[in-house]
Amino acid sequence: MFQKVPRAELERRLAALRARLDHDSPEWRMLAVFGKINQFYLTGTMQDAVLLVPRDGAAVYWVRRSLERALNESEFGDIRPMTSFRDAAAAMGPLPDTVHLETERVPLAVYERFNKHFGFARVASADFSLSAARAVKSAYELDRMEESGRIHQRILEERVPELLREGISEAEFAGDLYGAMIREGHHGLARFGMYETEILLGHICFGESSIYPTSFDGPGGNYGMSPAVPLLGSRKRLLRPGDLVFVDIGCGVDGYHTDKTLTYVYRGQLPAEAARIHRRCLEIETAVAALLKPGAIPSEIYAQITGALEPDFLDGFMGFGTRQARFLGHGIGLHIDEWPVLAKGFDEPLQENMVLAVEPKKGIAGIGMVGSENTFVVTPDGGHCLTGLHPGLLAVG
């Protein structure tokens, strides 16, 4: 029923992670992986489990539930059952004083239950090493992302115009869009690594909804269903002639995402100044994509591009008003928000086959968010687009 991640692919990933840990934390002796996305990356399945990786021994995937599913789905070399962490601790032999783990993701209570049996004296972070290992995609991973990009392009360029009609609410449109995406092959959700970030599709907005304040760390906004569920779209905001439609959604295949934004104009046209700002965003996207080559420094790309922008354009760029995102793009893969980021402080060079979403956007009062977003693979010739390069402001109706 399931297409398994090949064993050779899993072995390559674990070897890359060990090498990255050796580079970042030469003193490391034991890694414990609790996060389900990192479990999937390293084992090909995600269970109520912990993956233990000793520096000088073989990794073991200890599964509480479901062992049967893990064995059905995974080609990982050593999968064992446990009723509690006590079983894993007893079998792992002498343990070091320090454990490396996902400090951004593991709750304190989970660690305390784990350490009741393991007795580590100290915790060190493995977050950066895991992120850096995942950032460089294999041919297997790129194949899934390329398929996601094809679905993504088809959905936004062909299906969305068919779904927009006068009087439909943002929420209704989002529901119709979700169904269309599932039928086209989307894996069903958009995963983010940001703490307590819930997303089903993305930002789906008519007009000023796309510049409404949000806690989400990105340029766009969204009314959402309610304060309790600030997602999808409003039941009350209905599509009207002349509206700018802003669709910023993730798509995915077998866990691997692409990110894309396309804008539409429903039965009308935007003011000339808004269209000019949109075209400037497209120029920025093209300029950034050309710089996505091995050896390029993300922080330098950010400084070069933003430093060349006109002061009046920078006002509200990558957001609306004072609500601005301080980046131009972000890594993407098993999460939509991955390392590296095109922003200050990201000084490690890009490597071939990293994948980044580039999203220059700007909010305009009374109109909404214009701009673009597409997903690019880092190559020696610059960014190779996976999601199509439609210029946006697609006329509908």
Side-chain angles (χ1 to χ4, degrees):
M1 181 178 293
F2 302 107
Q3 181 175 353
K4 297 182 180 182
V5 180
R7 183 161 185 168
E9 174 75 8
L10 297 176
E11 291 172 348
R12 181 203 65 79
R13 296 177 185 184
L14 185 57
L17 175 58
R18 287 181 180 275
R20 188 74 213 201
L21 283 165
D22 288 345
H23 176 271
D24 298 333
S25 305
E27 76 289 352
W28 83 278
R29 289 295 178 270
M30 172 73 74
L31 169 68
V33 179
F34 289 88
K36 284 186 167 53
I37 303 305
N38 283 325
Q39 286 184 29
F40 178 78
Y41 177 73
L42 294 166
T43 72
T45 188
M46 51 175 76
Q47 304 302 327
D48 179 5
V50 61
L51 174 65
L52 296 180
V53 185
R55 178 171 185 157
D56 299 320
V60 180
Y61 190 44
W62 291 95
V63 180
R64 182 155 39 209
R65 178 172 179 158
S66 162
L67 178 67
E68 180 181 4
R69 185 167 184 132
L71 292 171
N72 285 341
E73 294 178 349
S74 177
E75 295 284 353
F76 190 76
D78 194 345
I79 302 175
R80 305 184 197 179
M82 68 174 179
T83 56
S84 77
F85 292 127
R86 178 185 292 108
D87 299 331
M92 291 304 293
L95 297 168
D97 291 335
T98 301
V99 61
H100 280 67
L101 51 74
E102 305 139 294
T103 57
E104 296 279 353
R105 190 161 301 279
V106 179
L108 179 59
V110 171
Y111 174 71
E112 288 178 340
R113 289 195 292 272
F114 171 72
N115 207 38
K116 175 182 177 181
H117 303 290
F118 280 80
F120 294 111
R122 290 177 297 278
V123 170
S125 173
D127 298 283
F128 178 73
S129 297
L130 283 158
S131 296
R134 279 172 45 182
V136 180
K137 306 303 190 283
S138 67
Y140 176 90
E141 294 172 297
L142 289 175
D143 179 73
R144 274 102 192 115
M145 298 184 77
E146 288 167 357
E147 178 60 20
S148 176
R150 287 189 288 269
I151 295 170
H152 218 156
Q153 181 177 7
R154 191 162 61 245
I155 287 287
L156 289 182
E157 294 182 12
E158 300 176 19
R159 300 293 177 264
V160 167
E162 299 170 350
L163 300 175
L164 293 172
R165 63 182 187 275
E166 186 171 349
I168 193 172
S169 71
E170 290 179 342
E172 288 177 288
F173 169 54
D176 293 345
L177 177 59
Y178 184 77
M181 294 180 70
I182 294 296
R183 288 190 292 272
E184 292 285 346
H186 171 50
H187 63 202
L189 78 168
R191 285 196 172 110
F192 281 77
M194 282 183 281
Y195 179 70
E196 293 230 328
T197 297
E198 296 178 314
I199 294 286
L200 182 61
L201 287 177
H203 289 161
I204 297 167
C205 315
F206 302 156
E208 73 290 344
S209 175
S210 57
I211 55 175
Y212 190 72
T214 174
S215 65
F216 183 81
D217 186 15
N222 189 22
Y223 284 146
M225 302 286 281
S226 73
V229 185
L231 308 175
L232 288 180
S234 168
R235 298 181 189 275
K236 296 180 179 180
R237 179 52 166 97
L238 309 182
L239 184 61
R240 304 184 296 247
D243 272 343
L244 171 69
V245 178
F246 176 85
V247 180
D248 177 359
I249 57 173
C251 185
V253 171
D254 291 341
Y256 286 90
H257 299 84
T258 50
D259 201 1
K260 182 175 177 65
T261 299
L262 199 61
T263 52
Y264 312 78
V265 183
Y266 182 71
R267 291 177 57 187
Q269 61 183 19
L270 293 190
E273 178 62 10
R276 183 193 69 81
I277 292 171
H278 178 81
R279 290 193 298 271
R280 188 73 179 97
C281 289
L282 297 179
E283 293 170 358
I284 294 167
E285 181 184 64
T286 299
V288 172
L291 298 174
L292 298 180
K293 299 179 180 181
I297 307 298
S299 59
E300 293 179 1
I301 294 175
Y302 180 79
Q304 177 181 332
I305 295 296
T306 57
L309 296 179
E310 306 82 2
D312 64 329
F313 190 86
L314 276 172
D315 183 20
F317 178 58
M318 289 300 291
F320 177 68
T322 59
R323 303 190 301 272
Q324 292 177 273
R326 303 295 178 179
F327 63 86
L328 288 172
H330 52 86
I332 185 168
L334 290 171
H335 284 124
I336 285 184
D337 54 336
E338 293 198 354
W339 186 89
V341 182
L342 299 177
K344 292 180 180 179
F346 290 82
D347 301 323
E348 188 163 317
L350 297 178
Q351 297 180 52
E352 188 169 3
N353 292 337
M354 286 182 170
V355 185
L356 296 97
V358 179
E359 56 173 323
K361 298 167 184 170
K362 183 168 178 170
I364 303 172
I367 293 177
M369 185 71 58
V370 297
S372 180
E373 180 176 19
N374 282 295
T375 300
F376 297 87
V377 182
V378 175
T379 80
D381 298 320
H384 166 64
C385 186
L386 298 180
T387 49
L389 288 169
H390 193 287
L393 299 188
L394 196 160
V396 179

